[in-house]
Amino acid sequence: MTLPSLKSGAAPILSVRNLTLEFRMAGRWLPAVDSVDFDLAPGETLGVVGESGSGKSLTALALMGFVGRMRRNQRVSGQALYAGRDLLGLPDRQMQALRGNDIAMIFQEPMTSLDPSFKVGAQIAAGVRLHQKVSRAEARRIAIDAMERVHIPNAAIRADSYPHEFSGGMRQRVLIAMAIANRPSVLIADEPTTALDVSVQAQVLRLLKDMQKDLGLSMIFITHNMGVVADICDRVAVMYAGQIVEKASVDDLFDSPRHPYTERLLSSMPSIEKRSGPLTWIPGTPPQFTDFPAGCRFRPRCAHATDACLGETRLTHGTGGRSNRCTLGQDWQNPKGETEASWT
Amino acid sequence: MNSPLLKARKIEVTFRTRRAGRAVTVAAVRGIDLDLFRGQTLGLVGESGSGKSTLARALLKLVPMAGEIEIDGEQVAHLGSRHFRRYRRKIQMVFQDPYSSLDPSMTVGDSIAEPLVVHARMTPGQRAARVAEVLRQVNLPPEVADRYPDEFSGGQRQRIAIARAIALDPEILICDEAVSALDISTQNQIIHLLETLQERSGLAYLFISHDLAVVRHISDRVAVMYLGEVIEEGPVDRIYDQPAHPYTQVLLNAVPVASPAAQRIRSATVLEGDVPDPTNPPPGCVFSGRCPLAMPRCFRDPPAPFDLPTGGRVRCHLHDDGPRLAGASVSALMAARQQDRPETAR
């Protein structure tokens, strides 16, 4: 079940199949991430969007081996093929060698990802020496070079500053410098601009796009902000309650969402361009993984639900690289202009 | 227009702090005028460090401040804390994080009743009735009062925080990033609740947020802060459709819109650099160092407020000098400027 990607012909750099992450609670294994499938094409940005608790961050953490390994109450299954190797089955040693080297990750809160007691240049250099056999002086040179790449002014001097001496935006740049210092081929960015002001967010988004072009990075971009998705992503996977409910190119997704959840998510957004009518929302709250409903997990909140939705749902594939997980099928589309007063 | 419920003039907040072993002063809020009207919402936007939250705290006299505050026609800024308390109950606040603004060891009912104990002479029975009443107003069942905050979701906790804020029947509610930590559906429900409360009771809101789309939805007027000053203020549609200050324009451009096609052609001028050091603000216009349209004069003279024919005021020399916008929108000028410098345009 390979999916056509935007860059047709290019083999995916990362191919994830059936990724499932389970936690054991009160003797039962509960899937917080359930059968996630996606391909990441070289040089593309795949957005993973959803609300809190949708499993988008856990998917990334499982890929990086930060969860699901070495814990008795966590287990991960499925496959994540990267350069012919299955990340999920890789021994810890090999995963450590790969992590931060081939696949790097940046997080929302740059301050907690940096050690406050070490100068940033030394922190970046330490990451370099973990993966490359270079002298201290050479590692420092690579670190400063990475800081220059992310446009930190006076990089050679700023390398000797501590994290608290940087603004939030500059700290996120330091983190990006750290992530790219070993020239990874995949960057996983988990809400990297969520804690930043809008003007700084715009700077960081542009920087990530530039880095991607310069270094040929492939990116998985996790966010809840649909504006950011529209800005930076080529393709999008929408997650709800641990599952991917829709996959599409960014244009298709915004033009004609094919899952009722995506449609409601998009139409709930207040607009900056005009003052629209009353705000709408999806009734209820997203379920926790401890009590995912049977059948379609969106069913209890869905205005289009039928009895068919009580059965198991599958992600089905349509044309143009589109997929959705809805019993209403590939043709589902909310009639344009239909306002659902009952929702408000 | 009727007279304002709250009228603040020349509000100043200065902090003393130490940096690198030296005593420095930070002018966090500088010379701000602000009016709040019954039944209306003033949106307050600006990036971190611009002084939004400090301004809110100054209005409650929670930080040492200078300037005048008039509430219901009475001067209150000079009052000592005992006398100010009478006015303090008229202004309540809702914060961003409903997880830390409720005491986890108190029942929800006790948390909501706390301001009633401090400010109102009520019997326990009256208090319990009031708690049930405000819970009803925020659409929560009365049984909630006997439970503890950790039993509730973020959205429910924010309803509880709002219930506590309205328990004393205030005239003004300051919402400091009150919906910022919530998912979109919950956020919209809380906004709807705030709108309903306002329609019913005529509350005035000071709505502080970094989310410009939410502010456009909820506000009647909007004030834009930068480095402790309000650099532009006016009716909401005027601010968004005809911004008069270059900073307002770049701020609006920086917000990514939920349309990939529009986002690709959108003229996003990426504003370089960071907000300047507040201990050492620039001598002229606070935005001069980052302004793509700055003129020599902007680095020398702080601009005076300029009344806009389209409503509100702006502090920018472009309106009385240079291209002399004389109150017109800065948008065309910014767009032209961008075409001159393709390397900064997208």
Side-chain angles (χ1 to χ4, degrees), chain A residues 51-52 167 197-199 201 203 206 209 227 230-231 250-251 254 268 270 272-275 277 279-282, chain B residues 47-48 183 185 188-189 192 212-213 216-217 251 254 256-260 263-264 270-274 344 346:
Chain A
E51 295 173 277
S52 42
S167 65
D197 283 316
V198 283
S199 77
Q201 167 172 283
Q203 291 173 10
R206 175 182 286 183
K209 281 188 259 191
D231 183 76
V250 71
D251 290 284
F254 283 81
S268 304
I272 191 171
E273 290 173 304
K274 57 179 193 298
R275 195 191 153 132
L279 294 178
T280 61
W281 57 82
I282 309 171
Chain B
E47 301 185 274
S48 13
D183 276 327
S185 277
N188 289 2
Q189 289 175 47
H192 179 72
L212 288 133
R216 173 153 214 180
H217 178 84
L251 205 56
V257 293
S259 159
Q263 190 58 23
R264 256 170 237 132
V270 172
L271 188 61
E272 293 301 332
D274 279 312
T344 57
R346 277 195 331 123

Side-chain angles (χ1 to χ4, degrees), chain A residues 260-311:
Chain A
Y261 175 65
T262 317
E263 192 275 323
R264 294 308 306 170
L265 202 59
L266 287 171
S267 58
S268 304
M269 287 189 61
S271 165
I272 191 171
E273 290 173 304
K274 57 179 193 298
R275 195 191 153 132
S276 33
L279 294 178
T280 61
W281 57 82
I282 309 171
T285 46
Q288 303 289 311
F289 72 90
T290 45
D291 49 16
F292 283 156
C296 170
R297 293 178 184 169
F298 188 58
R299 175 183 47 82
R301 306 176 73 193
C302 184
H304 310 278
T306 64
D307 285 349
C309 308
L310 290 162

Side-chain angles (χ1 to χ4, degrees), chain A residues 70-92:
Chain A
M70 296 184 295
R71 298 265 169 77
R72 295 177 112 184
N73 57 352
Q74 302 174 358
R75 71 178 182 205
V76 66
S77 57
Q79 206 183 38
L81 283 180
Y82 170 81
R85 289 184 290 179
D86 178 12
L87 298 180
L88 305 179
L90 226 49
D92 292 335

